[in-house]
Amino acid sequence: MALKLYHATSEYAADRIEQEGFRCGTHGFAGGAIYFSQNPDGACRKYRNGRGNPDILIECVVRLGRMLEAAKNTVDEYDVRCRGCDSVKISSFDVYAVYDPHRVNIMTFRRIGGVPFQSMRALRFEEQRQKDQEQRLPLHFQQQRVQQYHRPQLEARPLLQRVVPQHVPQRVPQREKRPSHEAWQSGLLPLACLGGVILVAMAALFG
């Protein structure tokens, strides 16, 4: 029988597990074994007997083989082997124990609450990529603000040209030209002649 199970551990231990594989511990509910939980939260709660905060959650496919169900602290590897079993399920607990590391196939690594990766190297590469991206974000936002500041001015310029009519220079009216001296003489000469005729006629009439 094979199950998808989880093992919570520190980042340092996760690197060792990826390079060298799992190793049996020295103590636990079923003696020195490799412990897993079917629920990720359960695996985190059982890290260092609930006295620590794990860094990495390892997802595995565990071939349990012939499984013995027993109460906690009642069996160890010797008892399990003597009964012809390969693994232990602790009664009333989400705890599975195996004694053979070759029964464990590692699937993914993930930060607690993060997304899974196939290796610790891939996990760190993605984290570094996100850090580099966050460092470039302020410059990107600054450029975006500059573009947003200048864009309304550029867009408003054609609108202002449509709303405000262009200035058309008006023609300044020219001053009326005063008649020259010759024009005055040409106009007064007939009047003088007419006045002389009138005076002669009046003298003849009353003389």
Side-chain angles (χ1 to χ4, degrees), residues 113-158:
V115 296
F117 294 90
Q118 293 184 350
S119 66
M120 290 295 295
R121 180 180 180 182
L123 185 150
R124 290 195 179 94
F125 178 82
E126 178 62 21
E127 290 178 344
Q128 185 63 40
R129 188 189 68 82
Q130 292 180 359
K131 289 181 181 179
D132 295 341
Q133 186 176 5
E134 290 176 358
Q135 291 177 357
R136 291 193 296 266
L137 282 179
L139 178 60
H140 173 70
F141 286 152
Q142 184 178 4
Q143 294 176 351
Q144 188 175 8
R145 291 194 189 99
V146 172
Q147 293 176 359
Q148 292 177 354
Y149 175 77
H150 288 288
R151 187 179 296 113
Q153 295 182 355
L154 295 176
E155 293 177 352
R157 188 174 301 171

Side-chain angles (χ1 to χ4, degrees), residues 96-114:
Y96 295 81
V98 295
Y99 303 96
D100 187 358
H102 294 91
R103 291 185 173 274
V104 182
N105 291 333
I106 299 174
M107 304 301 294
T108 61
F109 298 84
R110 73 175 75 177
R111 293 282 183 187
I112 303 301

Side-chain angles (χ1 to χ4, degrees), residues 33-108:
I34 309 169
Y35 288 90
F36 299 91
S37 294
Q38 202 165 8
N39 189 298
D41 294 335
C44 294
R45 286 193 300 268
K46 294 173 180 61
Y47 173 69
R48 292 186 177 178
N49 296 324
R51 294 191 297 268
N53 296 319
D55 302 317
I56 303 297
L57 186 66
I58 306 176
E59 179 184 335
C60 305
V61 174
V62 183
R63 299 187 302 275
L64 297 172
R66 187 177 179 183
M67 185 175 63
L68 172 68
E69 186 168 352
K72 67 176 183 177
N73 300 325
T74 58
V75 296
D76 56 12
E77 182 179 4
Y78 178 78
D79 297 326
V80 174
R81 300 293 188 189
C82 290
R83 299 183 187 186
C85 296
D86 304 303
S87 61
V88 181
K89 168 66 172 67
I90 305 301
S91 301
S92 304
F93 290 92
D94 182 18
V95 177
Y96 295 81
V98 295
Y99 303 96
D100 187 358
H102 294 91
R103 291 185 173 274
V104 182
N105 291 333
I106 299 174
M107 304 301 294
T108 61

Side-chain angles (χ1 to χ4, degrees), residues 15-32:
D15 289 330
R16 295 287 301 274
I17 291 172
E18 183 180 24
Q19 296 172 5
E20 304 173 5
F22 279 95
R23 293 183 179 181
C24 292
T26 58
H27 59 278
F29 286 170

